[in-house]
Amino acid sequence: MTSFAVVADSTPFLLDAFTRAGADGTLITHHMGQCDEATMIARAAGYPMIIVNETKISASVMDASPLLKQVLFLGTGAANFVDLPAAAARDIRVHTIKGYGDRAVAEHTIAMLFAVYRDIPAQNASIRAGGWDGAPIGELSGKTIGLVGLGAIGSEVARICHALGLKTIAWARRPIDLPGVEQVELDDLLARADIVSPHLAYTQETAGFLDAKRLRRMKRGAVFINTARAELTDEAEVLAMLHDGHLAGAGLDVFTAEPLPADHPLRNAPRVVLTAHTGWQSPEAIERLIDIAVEILERERALLGL
């Protein structure tokens, strides 16, 4: 082994970003493309650290890598890709990177909201096909947005909403003190909000938090935006609510299966704007992400004396 860590599912984009950050071949080896479990085992063999992009790290991968001591997930939601209980049981430390994309995700949330409310994607498609029609939902000013969770990203969304003239209500587990935000109970939020947008971390406790029963408590004609995690909600129920008109529209950046299968029914659902889990992506966010990742790698390599 000549490198300290391996990116077992890298991309040209990540390779360029790590290179710009000064991470040479003595620090990282890159293998390109998402892979299955057997390929992940082969690619990870012999490294004390695996860097995770978008491929699962299972207990079997850990057991097949006796030298593995640490995993670095390039993001915040490691539970989506790393078997955290298995890592803890094997004394494998899992690093995450927080804060690098808060503004990017917040801006993407608002962009999705504008796209849905002003019917921009459908109008663009119509005009390109020779048509001339559209059906904007209305104006955002004066509408009520309900934020489910008010951490760093939710708070950033709240600040932008305040500037746009939206009334902002929020549910949070702890008392909040953010100008222009009213803290309410979850049922109250779902009943009052014209727009509902979750901003919770995905954990065992939050999985399915906005289940079918809670989603149906949203008032008819509301809009649902999700730039957090698909696992927080009931994707099938969101689809059903688009078809039966309970939702006036939705903007989804996250899905239970990614990439979204070509035959997935959401691709043909009415009044929904879809993006490819790109809410966190911006040149600025990527630079922050990789700079922090390189700092972690260099620090941990030094601590291990490698």
Side-chain angles (χ1 to χ4, degrees):
M1 182 192 73
T2 58
S3 299
F4 171 63
V6 60
V7 188
D9 59 340
S10 192
T11 66
F13 191 75
L14 286 175
L15 175 60
D16 289 345
F18 272 111
T19 300
R20 289 194 302 271
D24 61 18
T26 66
L27 186 64
I28 304 173
T29 292
H30 291 265
H31 290 285
M32 294 296 170
Q34 293 187 43
C35 56
D36 58 20
E37 185 176 77
T39 305
M40 172 63 77
I41 289 172
R43 290 178 174 181
Y47 291 92
M49 179 177 279
I50 301 174
I51 303 169
V52 184
N53 178 29
E54 294 182 330
T55 303
K56 302 284 186 181
I57 301 251
S58 65
S60 296
V61 172
M62 299 175 199
D63 288 339
S65 307
L67 295 181
L68 182 63
K69 302 297 181 185
Q70 301 184 54
V71 171
L72 170 57
F73 176 67
L74 296 177
T76 57
N80 289 70
F81 298 97
V82 182
D83 187 332
L84 296 179
R90 291 158 178 78
D91 199 27
I92 294 172
R93 184 179 180 187
V94 178
H95 302 268
T96 59
I97 301 175
K98 298 180 180 181
Y100 69 93
D102 293 350
R103 180 68 188 195
V105 176
E107 289 185 3
H108 197 82
T109 302
I110 300 302
M112 296 283 273
L113 182 53
F114 271 112
V116 173
Y117 249 76
R118 300 307 305 169
D119 191 39
I120 291 172
Q123 291 189 63
N124 178 65
S126 172
I127 291 172
R128 288 177 179 274
W132 187 259
D133 60 322
I137 292 174
E139 299 178 1
L140 287 174
S141 181
K143 299 297 189 300
T144 297
I145 185 168
L147 305 178
V148 182
L150 206 66
I153 295 173
S155 296
E156 195 70 29
V157 172
R159 284 186 279 270
I160 300 173
C161 289
H162 181 70
L164 292 172
L166 283 141
K167 178 177 176 57
T168 304
I169 59 178
W171 173 89
R173 295 175 179 173
R174 61 185 184 278
I176 60 175
D177 183 18
L178 195 64
V181 179
E182 177 189 356
Q183 186 168 6
V184 299
E185 296 297 323
L186 183 59
D187 283 351
D188 188 24
L189 180 149
L190 296 171
R192 290 171 53 189
D194 300 296
I195 305 119
V196 172
S197 183
H199 295 283
L200 295 169
Y202 172 55
T203 66
Q204 289 182 336
E205 290 73 30
T206 61
F209 188 76
L210 291 178
D211 58 16
K213 185 176 180 180
R214 282 175 169 162
L215 286 169
R216 286 288 175 178
R217 289 175 184 158
M218 293 171 61
K219 66 182 183 182
R220 193 169 186 85
V223 165
F224 183 70
I225 305 291
N226 192 359
T227 58
R229 286 289 186 272
E231 292 82 0
L232 298 174
T233 188
D234 186 325
E235 189 175 79
E237 193 65 23
V238 172
L239 178 64
M241 291 168 71
L242 286 166
H243 279 290
D244 66 28
H246 193 117
L247 289 176
L252 306 175
D253 184 51
V254 290
F255 309 92
T256 55
E258 297 183 358
L260 191 67
D263 60 350
H264 197 287
L266 274 172
R267 289 184 181 269
N268 296 309
R271 302 177 308 281
V272 61
V273 177
L274 309 175
T275 54
H277 203 152
T278 54
W280 64 276
Q281 289 186 20
S282 70
E284 298 87 349
I286 290 292
E287 182 176 358
R288 289 190 292 267
L289 172 71
I290 300 305
D291 283 348
I292 295 169
V294 171
E295 288 178 7
I296 293 171
L297 290 166
E298 291 179 337
R299 182 190 70 216
E300 296 304 320
R301 181 173 64 176
L303 289 173
L304 292 173
L306 298 174

